[in-house]
Amino acid sequence: MTAWRSTPFDPLDDDKLREECGVFGVTGVSSAANFTALGLHALQHRGQEAGGIVVHDPEHGFNSVRRFGYVRDNFTTQDVMDTLPGPIGIGHVRYSTSGSKGATAIRDVQPFFGEFAMGGAAIAHNGNITNADALRRELIERGSIFQSSSDSECIIHLMARSLQKSIPERMKDALRRVEGAFSIVAMTRHKLIGVRDPLGVRPLVLGQIDAAEGGGWVLASETCALDIIGAEFLREVEPGEMVVIEDDKLTSHRPFEPKRPRACIFEHVYFSRPDSILGGQSIYSTREAIGRELAKEAPVDADLVCPVPDSGTPAAIGYSLASGIPYAMGIIRNQYMGRTFIEPTESIRNMGVRLKLNVNRALVRGKRIILVDDSVVRGTTSRKIKEMILDAGAAEVHFRIASPPTAWPCFYGVDTPQREKLLAATMTEEEMRSHLGVDSLRFITLDGLYRAVGEAKGRDPDAPQYCDACFSGEYPVEPADQMEKGFRLKAAE
């Protein structure tokens, strides 16, 4: 079947940080591909551009399917799933954070597969390798031939050059050369492997199907992917840990020098699904706590608290509960828009947000409205939403943002605009308020965000508990490739 690529036209989400990628793996089940497709469906929010599944069956060997578009459009037909037999498999959903952004070729779609002396192996990677350019140059000079533009392919080539005698040992060798952020799910004919970088920037969880009866094992980016297949959440793969599952036995390895963990704090704000558990905390409860903290830090007289759906909803509920101002659905999302196959003419582009959101006019007319959203990136969507609210007759519009100002790009697996395109990189909070044309604009403070995620004393400036580089400009791993291209780190204060 020829790969066909649609052109998604998503005017609302164009002003959001893209959700990196999602990985999933399962072993010890009758049909790994079916479980993997369900798991990827639950992780679709982490990448909507493309997806792939690799499986192994003792009779048929390795097989793979990689497609552009949504899981539901590609991995739900019997004829496709029949080509993916076997008890072990891994999968990946992608939004490009490296490689040919916006012009992805099918060869860039993961999982990647390689044949080694001791057999084949496939690998799916969530994150970004910050020294990928240097590694790629070195590997090409030594004779490696790259098939994709993805930084993740470096891992396969480094494994191929390792002199170790097993796939897990070769992977350890390879990942010791890699800088940046990575959560990896990999497989051989008999082994399912999960690895998390020493800082634990990107999430990875471990589960089991029919755990009481010693059923199959599962690795996934989030716990919501375990829920959809009825697997029990056992624990997170720890920062710097490699787990290897073979013959229904799990072994844990520590291939890296220990470091103080720095998980991504934006997972709590936006990336993870609200029904997932991360760091022992409910994402939904954390986002509600962010809203409560925001109400304490930035109160305002108003009539209604309204979320910008859907990502602003839990924080808006928290803001309403803490402030006593009624919560209301002032904006309704069109759940059935999906992708449009209409050629986006200028008139359709000008409709922009209206294709996805509609204001509840009878509710907001004459009211002072607090709009709660998760972030402001370029500000284009925020301006359009404000105009829609005012056009519907609102008396005042106050923005409350459930994250600090996003002033720095992320180089660890998030597709962030160049720094000069981030509104907070070039404007003060008051200048942003004026630019957006709202009556008031307030962001939660960095300390307030830390308190909401469970750090009662706020952020430790000497040893931050999370990676918050997109807010603070303090990068736990220097982005070597970007610095080589001229990116300048924040000056020491």
Side-chain angles (χ1 to χ4, degrees), residues 293-323:
E293 190 69 33
L294 190 52
K296 296 175 188 174
E297 291 187 347
V300 62
D301 289 333
D303 301 305
L304 295 174
V305 178
C306 301
V308 176
D310 292 310
S311 54
T313 300
I317 291 171
Y319 194 104
S320 170
L321 290 171
S323 66

PDB file of all heavy atoms in Angstrom, residues 293-323:
ATOM      1  N   GLU A 293      -3.408  27.719  42.717  1.00  0.00           N
ATOM      2  CA  GLU A 293      -2.242  28.566  42.993  1.00  0.00           C
ATOM      3  C   GLU A 293      -2.321  29.862  42.198  1.00  0.00           C
ATOM      4  O   GLU A 293      -2.011  30.946  42.694  1.00  0.00           O
ATOM      5  CB  GLU A 293      -0.963  27.805  42.641  1.00  0.00           C
ATOM      6  CG  GLU A 293       0.319  28.468  43.091  1.00  0.00           C
ATOM      7  CD  GLU A 293       0.516  28.472  44.592  1.00  0.00           C
ATOM      8  OE1 GLU A 293       0.083  27.508  45.260  1.00  0.00           O
ATOM      9  OE2 GLU A 293       1.110  29.440  45.112  1.00  0.00           O
ATOM     10  N   LEU A 294      -2.758  29.761  40.960  1.00  0.00           N
ATOM     11  CA  LEU A 294      -2.888  30.930  40.092  1.00  0.00           C
ATOM     12  C   LEU A 294      -3.928  31.902  40.637  1.00  0.00           C
ATOM     13  O   LEU A 294      -3.753  33.125  40.577  1.00  0.00           O
ATOM     14  CB  LEU A 294      -3.261  30.461  38.679  1.00  0.00           C
ATOM     15  CG  LEU A 294      -3.235  31.455  37.524  1.00  0.00           C
ATOM     16  CD1 LEU A 294      -1.909  32.189  37.434  1.00  0.00           C
ATOM     17  CD2 LEU A 294      -3.519  30.722  36.217  1.00  0.00           C
ATOM     18  N   ALA A 295      -5.003  31.365  41.206  1.00  0.00           N
ATOM     19  CA  ALA A 295      -6.043  32.227  41.795  1.00  0.00           C
ATOM     20  C   ALA A 295      -5.501  32.996  42.997  1.00  0.00           C
ATOM     21  O   ALA A 295      -5.881  34.151  43.233  1.00  0.00           O
ATOM     22  CB  ALA A 295      -7.248  31.387  42.200  1.00  0.00           C
ATOM     23  N   LYS A 296      -4.617  32.346  43.753  1.00  0.00           N
ATOM     24  CA  LYS A 296      -4.006  33.030  44.895  1.00  0.00           C
ATOM     25  C   LYS A 296      -3.032  34.114  44.437  1.00  0.00           C
ATOM     26  O   LYS A 296      -2.968  35.201  45.017  1.00  0.00           O
ATOM     27  CB  LYS A 296      -3.269  32.026  45.784  1.00  0.00           C
ATOM     28  CG  LYS A 296      -4.156  30.997  46.446  1.00  0.00           C
ATOM     29  CD  LYS A 296      -3.296  29.976  47.200  1.00  0.00           C
ATOM     30  CE  LYS A 296      -4.131  28.826  47.714  1.00  0.00           C
ATOM     31  NZ  LYS A 296      -3.283  27.767  48.332  1.00  0.00           N
ATOM     32  N   GLU A 297      -2.257  33.796  43.417  1.00  0.00           N
ATOM     33  CA  GLU A 297      -1.220  34.726  42.957  1.00  0.00           C
ATOM     34  C   GLU A 297      -1.784  35.874  42.127  1.00  0.00           C
ATOM     35  O   GLU A 297      -1.234  36.978  42.141  1.00  0.00           O
ATOM     36  CB  GLU A 297      -0.187  33.976  42.106  1.00  0.00           C
ATOM     37  CG  GLU A 297       0.681  33.001  42.885  1.00  0.00           C
ATOM     38  CD  GLU A 297       1.788  32.421  42.026  1.00  0.00           C
ATOM     39  OE1 GLU A 297       1.740  32.576  40.779  1.00  0.00           O
ATOM     40  OE2 GLU A 297       2.707  31.814  42.592  1.00  0.00           O
ATOM     41  N   ALA A 298      -2.854  35.616  41.381  1.00  0.00           N
ATOM     42  CA  ALA A 298      -3.341  36.614  40.420  1.00  0.00           C
ATOM     43  C   ALA A 298      -4.860  36.717  40.467  1.00  0.00           C
ATOM     44  O   ALA A 298      -5.559  36.387  39.506  1.00  0.00           O
ATOM     45  CB  ALA A 298      -2.883  36.237  39.009  1.00  0.00           C
ATOM     46  N   PRO A 299      -5.418  37.196  41.603  1.00  0.00           N
ATOM     47  CA  PRO A 299      -6.881  37.354  41.687  1.00  0.00           C
ATOM     48  C   PRO A 299      -7.355  38.517  40.830  1.00  0.00           C
ATOM     49  O   PRO A 299      -6.588  39.442  40.531  1.00  0.00           O
ATOM     50  CB  PRO A 299      -7.108  37.624  43.176  1.00  0.00           C
ATOM     51  CG  PRO A 299      -5.828  38.256  43.637  1.00  0.00           C
ATOM     52  CD  PRO A 299      -4.734  37.615  42.844  1.00  0.00           C
ATOM     53  N   VAL A 300      -8.622  38.485  40.448  1.00  0.00           N
ATOM     54  CA  VAL A 300      -9.224  39.592  39.699  1.00  0.00           C
ATOM     55  C   VAL A 300     -10.742  39.504  39.869  1.00  0.00           C
ATOM     56  O   VAL A 300     -11.301  38.412  39.969  1.00  0.00           O
ATOM     57  CB  VAL A 300      -8.832  39.530  38.195  1.00  0.00           C
ATOM     58  CG1 VAL A 300      -9.340  38.259  37.525  1.00  0.00           C
ATOM     59  CG2 VAL A 300      -9.326  40.766  37.450  1.00  0.00           C
ATOM     60  N   ASP A 301     -11.404  40.658  39.944  1.00  0.00           N
ATOM     61  CA  ASP A 301     -12.866  40.678  40.020  1.00  0.00           C
ATOM     62  C   ASP A 301     -13.445  40.310  38.661  1.00  0.00           C
ATOM     63  O   ASP A 301     -13.114  40.929  37.649  1.00  0.00           O
ATOM     64  CB  ASP A 301     -13.351  42.075  40.430  1.00  0.00           C
ATOM     65  CG  ASP A 301     -13.047  42.385  41.886  1.00  0.00           C
ATOM     66  OD1 ASP A 301     -12.956  41.423  42.675  1.00  0.00           O
ATOM     67  OD2 ASP A 301     -12.887  43.566  42.224  1.00  0.00           O
ATOM     68  N   ALA A 302     -14.295  39.305  38.651  1.00  0.00           N
ATOM     69  CA  ALA A 302     -14.898  38.860  37.393  1.00  0.00           C
ATOM     70  C   ALA A 302     -16.167  38.090  37.697  1.00  0.00           C
ATOM     71  O   ALA A 302     -16.490  37.798  38.857  1.00  0.00           O
ATOM     72  CB  ALA A 302     -13.912  37.998  36.603  1.00  0.00           C
ATOM     73  N   ASP A 303     -16.897  37.772  36.631  1.00  0.00           N
ATOM     74  CA  ASP A 303     -18.176  37.067  36.784  1.00  0.00           C
ATOM     75  C   ASP A 303     -18.071  35.572  36.508  1.00  0.00           C
ATOM     76  O   ASP A 303     -18.796  34.776  37.112  1.00  0.00           O
ATOM     77  CB  ASP A 303     -19.209  37.683  35.829  1.00  0.00           C
ATOM     78  CG  ASP A 303     -19.419  39.166  36.096  1.00  0.00           C
ATOM     79  OD1 ASP A 303     -19.738  39.508  37.243  1.00  0.00           O
ATOM     80  OD2 ASP A 303     -19.246  39.957  35.154  1.00  0.00           O
ATOM     81  N   LEU A 304     -17.185  35.179  35.579  1.00  0.00           N
ATOM     82  CA  LEU A 304     -17.081  33.776  35.186  1.00  0.00           C
ATOM     83  C   LEU A 304     -15.621  33.388  34.943  1.00  0.00           C
ATOM     84  O   LEU A 304     -14.832  34.208  34.447  1.00  0.00           O
ATOM     85  CB  LEU A 304     -17.873  33.501  33.897  1.00  0.00           C
ATOM     86  CG  LEU A 304     -19.400  33.662  33.936  1.00  0.00           C
ATOM     87  CD1 LEU A 304     -19.969  33.486  32.535  1.00  0.00           C
ATOM     88  CD2 LEU A 304     -20.028  32.658  34.902  1.00  0.00           C
ATOM     89  N   VAL A 305     -15.296  32.151  35.274  1.00  0.00           N
ATOM     90  CA  VAL A 305     -14.013  31.555  34.910  1.00  0.00           C
ATOM     91  C   VAL A 305     -14.277  30.553  33.794  1.00  0.00           C
ATOM     92  O   VAL A 305     -15.060  29.622  33.970  1.00  0.00           O
ATOM     93  CB  VAL A 305     -13.360  30.830  36.107  1.00  0.00           C
ATOM     94  CG1 VAL A 305     -12.049  30.174  35.677  1.00  0.00           C
ATOM     95  CG2 VAL A 305     -13.128  31.787  37.264  1.00  0.00           C
ATOM     96  N   CYS A 306     -13.639  30.753  32.655  1.00  0.00           N
ATOM     97  CA  CYS A 306     -13.879  29.900  31.484  1.00  0.00           C
ATOM     98  C   CYS A 306     -12.555  29.314  30.989  1.00  0.00           C
ATOM     99  O   CYS A 306     -11.580  30.047  30.814  1.00  0.00           O
ATOM    100  CB  CYS A 306     -14.520  30.688  30.348  1.00  0.00           C
ATOM    101  SG  CYS A 306     -16.112  31.439  30.774  1.00  0.00           S
ATOM    102  N   PRO A 307     -12.502  28.013  30.740  1.00  0.00           N
ATOM    103  CA  PRO A 307     -11.277  27.427  30.190  1.00  0.00           C
ATOM    104  C   PRO A 307     -11.186  27.639  28.687  1.00  0.00           C
ATOM    105  O   PRO A 307     -12.202  27.759  27.999  1.00  0.00           O
ATOM    106  CB  PRO A 307     -11.436  25.944  30.504  1.00  0.00           C
ATOM    107  CG  PRO A 307     -12.917  25.717  30.442  1.00  0.00           C
ATOM    108  CD  PRO A 307     -13.548  26.993  30.965  1.00  0.00           C
ATOM    109  N   VAL A 308      -9.953  27.690  28.182  1.00  0.00           N
ATOM    110  CA  VAL A 308      -9.731  27.531  26.748  1.00  0.00           C
ATOM    111  C   VAL A 308      -9.604  26.022  26.533  1.00  0.00           C
ATOM    112  O   VAL A 308      -8.641  25.412  26.980  1.00  0.00           O
ATOM    113  CB  VAL A 308      -8.466  28.259  26.285  1.00  0.00           C
ATOM    114  CG1 VAL A 308      -8.206  27.985  24.805  1.00  0.00           C
ATOM    115  CG2 VAL A 308      -8.593  29.764  26.541  1.00  0.00           C
ATOM    116  N   PRO A 309     -10.618  25.389  25.928  1.00  0.00           N
ATOM    117  CA  PRO A 309     -10.628  23.923  25.865  1.00  0.00           C
ATOM    118  C   PRO A 309      -9.550  23.408  24.907  1.00  0.00           C
ATOM    119  O   PRO A 309      -9.205  24.085  23.948  1.00  0.00           O
ATOM    120  CB  PRO A 309     -12.032  23.619  25.351  1.00  0.00           C
ATOM    121  CG  PRO A 309     -12.491  24.847  24.680  1.00  0.00           C
ATOM    122  CD  PRO A 309     -11.778  26.000  25.291  1.00  0.00           C
ATOM    123  N   ASP A 310      -9.075  22.179  25.220  1.00  0.00           N
ATOM    124  CA  ASP A 310      -9.422  21.403  26.402  1.00  0.00           C
ATOM    125  C   ASP A 310      -8.339  21.520  27.461  1.00  0.00           C
ATOM    126  O   ASP A 310      -8.545  21.172  28.626  1.00  0.00           O
ATOM    127  CB  ASP A 310      -9.577  19.911  26.035  1.00  0.00           C
ATOM    128  CG  ASP A 310     -10.786  19.667  25.157  1.00  0.00           C
ATOM    129  OD1 ASP A 310     -11.884  20.136  25.522  1.00  0.00           O
ATOM    130  OD2 ASP A 310     -10.645  19.023  24.097  1.00  0.00           O
ATOM    131  N   SER A 311      -7.168  21.987  27.061  1.00  0.00           N
ATOM    132  CA  SER A 311      -6.005  21.922  27.944  1.00  0.00           C
ATOM    133  C   SER A 311      -6.110  22.855  29.144  1.00  0.00           C
ATOM    134  O   SER A 311      -5.448  22.655  30.155  1.00  0.00           O
ATOM    135  CB  SER A 311      -4.725  22.222  27.161  1.00  0.00           C
ATOM    136  OG  SER A 311      -4.847  23.455  26.476  1.00  0.00           O
ATOM    137  N   GLY A 312      -6.962  23.892  29.070  1.00  0.00           N
ATOM    138  CA  GLY A 312      -7.088  24.805  30.187  1.00  0.00           C
ATOM    139  C   GLY A 312      -8.145  24.412  31.203  1.00  0.00           C
ATOM    140  O   GLY A 312      -8.297  25.083  32.235  1.00  0.00           O
ATOM    141  N   THR A 313      -8.851  23.301  30.958  1.00  0.00           N
ATOM    142  CA  THR A 313     -10.018  22.973  31.780  1.00  0.00           C
ATOM    143  C   THR A 313      -9.699  22.667  33.247  1.00  0.00           C
ATOM    144  O   THR A 313     -10.285  23.279  34.140  1.00  0.00           O
ATOM    145  CB  THR A 313     -10.803  21.814  31.140  1.00  0.00           C
ATOM    146  OG1 THR A 313     -11.229  22.220  29.825  1.00  0.00           O
ATOM    147  CG2 THR A 313     -12.021  21.456  31.970  1.00  0.00           C
ATOM    148  N   PRO A 314      -8.775  21.739  33.569  1.00  0.00           N
ATOM    149  CA  PRO A 314      -8.532  21.469  34.991  1.00  0.00           C
ATOM    150  C   PRO A 314      -8.045  22.686  35.767  1.00  0.00           C
ATOM    151  O   PRO A 314      -8.465  22.916  36.913  1.00  0.00           O
ATOM    152  CB  PRO A 314      -7.468  20.362  34.964  1.00  0.00           C
ATOM    153  CG  PRO A 314      -7.600  19.727  33.618  1.00  0.00           C
ATOM    154  CD  PRO A 314      -7.992  20.840  32.711  1.00  0.00           C
ATOM    155  N   ALA A 315      -7.173  23.495  35.156  1.00  0.00           N
ATOM    156  CA  ALA A 315      -6.677  24.694  35.828  1.00  0.00           C
ATOM    157  C   ALA A 315      -7.797  25.702  36.043  1.00  0.00           C
ATOM    158  O   ALA A 315      -7.853  26.384  37.078  1.00  0.00           O
ATOM    159  CB  ALA A 315      -5.541  25.324  35.026  1.00  0.00           C
ATOM    160  N   ALA A 316      -8.722  25.810  35.089  1.00  0.00           N
ATOM    161  CA  ALA A 316      -9.856  26.727  35.244  1.00  0.00           C
ATOM    162  C   ALA A 316     -10.761  26.280  36.390  1.00  0.00           C
ATOM    163  O   ALA A 316     -11.271  27.110  37.153  1.00  0.00           O
ATOM    164  CB  ALA A 316     -10.651  26.803  33.939  1.00  0.00           C
ATOM    165  N   ILE A 317     -10.952  24.972  36.528  1.00  0.00           N
ATOM    166  CA  ILE A 317     -11.748  24.451  37.637  1.00  0.00           C
ATOM    167  C   ILE A 317     -11.071  24.798  38.964  1.00  0.00           C
ATOM    168  O   ILE A 317     -11.722  25.244  39.918  1.00  0.00           O
ATOM    169  CB  ILE A 317     -11.936  22.925  37.485  1.00  0.00           C
ATOM    170  CG1 ILE A 317     -12.852  22.630  36.285  1.00  0.00           C
ATOM    171  CG2 ILE A 317     -12.515  22.314  38.761  1.00  0.00           C
ATOM    172  CD1 ILE A 317     -12.920  21.160  35.909  1.00  0.00           C
ATOM    173  N   GLY A 318      -9.747  24.622  39.028  1.00  0.00           N
ATOM    174  CA  GLY A 318      -9.022  24.968  40.238  1.00  0.00           C
ATOM    175  C   GLY A 318      -9.105  26.445  40.559  1.00  0.00           C
ATOM    176  O   GLY A 318      -9.273  26.835  41.727  1.00  0.00           O
ATOM    177  N   TYR A 319      -8.997  27.289  39.530  1.00  0.00           N
ATOM    178  CA  TYR A 319      -9.090  28.736  39.729  1.00  0.00           C
ATOM    179  C   TYR A 319     -10.467  29.100  40.276  1.00  0.00           C
ATOM    180  O   TYR A 319     -10.603  29.908  41.203  1.00  0.00           O
ATOM    181  CB  TYR A 319      -8.829  29.473  38.414  1.00  0.00           C
ATOM    182  CG  TYR A 319      -8.567  30.959  38.580  1.00  0.00           C
ATOM    183  CD1 TYR A 319      -7.283  31.472  38.478  1.00  0.00           C
ATOM    184  CD2 TYR A 319      -9.611  31.847  38.829  1.00  0.00           C
ATOM    185  CE1 TYR A 319      -7.040  32.831  38.627  1.00  0.00           C
ATOM    186  CE2 TYR A 319      -9.381  33.200  38.981  1.00  0.00           C
ATOM    187  CZ  TYR A 319      -8.099  33.697  38.877  1.00  0.00           C
ATOM    188  OH  TYR A 319      -7.857  35.050  39.037  1.00  0.00           O
ATOM    189  N   SER A 320     -11.502  28.490  39.714  1.00  0.00           N
ATOM    190  CA  SER A 320     -12.870  28.767  40.155  1.00  0.00           C
ATOM    191  C   SER A 320     -13.073  28.345  41.610  1.00  0.00           C
ATOM    192  O   SER A 320     -13.635  29.097  42.422  1.00  0.00           O
ATOM    193  CB  SER A 320     -13.858  28.036  39.256  1.00  0.00           C
ATOM    194  OG  SER A 320     -15.174  28.089  39.757  1.00  0.00           O
ATOM    195  N   LEU A 321     -12.593  27.153  41.964  1.00  0.00           N
ATOM    196  CA  LEU A 321     -12.774  26.650  43.323  1.00  0.00           C
ATOM    197  C   LEU A 321     -12.061  27.536  44.344  1.00  0.00           C
ATOM    198  O   LEU A 321     -12.585  27.797  45.432  1.00  0.00           O
ATOM    199  CB  LEU A 321     -12.253  25.221  43.419  1.00  0.00           C
ATOM    200  CG  LEU A 321     -13.076  24.155  42.676  1.00  0.00           C
ATOM    201  CD1 LEU A 321     -12.337  22.824  42.655  1.00  0.00           C
ATOM    202  CD2 LEU A 321     -14.454  24.000  43.307  1.00  0.00           C
ATOM    203  N   ALA A 322     -10.862  28.004  44.007  1.00  0.00           N
ATOM    204  CA  ALA A 322     -10.097  28.812  44.946  1.00  0.00           C
ATOM    205  C   ALA A 322     -10.608  30.241  45.044  1.00  0.00           C
ATOM    206  O   ALA A 322     -10.526  30.872  46.104  1.00  0.00           O
ATOM    207  CB  ALA A 322      -8.617  28.814  44.547  1.00  0.00           C
ATOM    208  N   SER A 323     -11.144  30.767  43.941  1.00  0.00           N
ATOM    209  CA  SER A 323     -11.572  32.167  43.910  1.00  0.00           C
ATOM    210  C   SER A 323     -13.036  32.352  44.287  1.00  0.00           C
ATOM    211  O   SER A 323     -13.454  33.449  44.668  1.00  0.00           O
ATOM    212  CB  SER A 323     -11.354  32.745  42.507  1.00  0.00           C
ATOM    213  OG  SER A 323     -12.208  32.103  41.557  1.00  0.00           O
TER     214      SER A 323
END
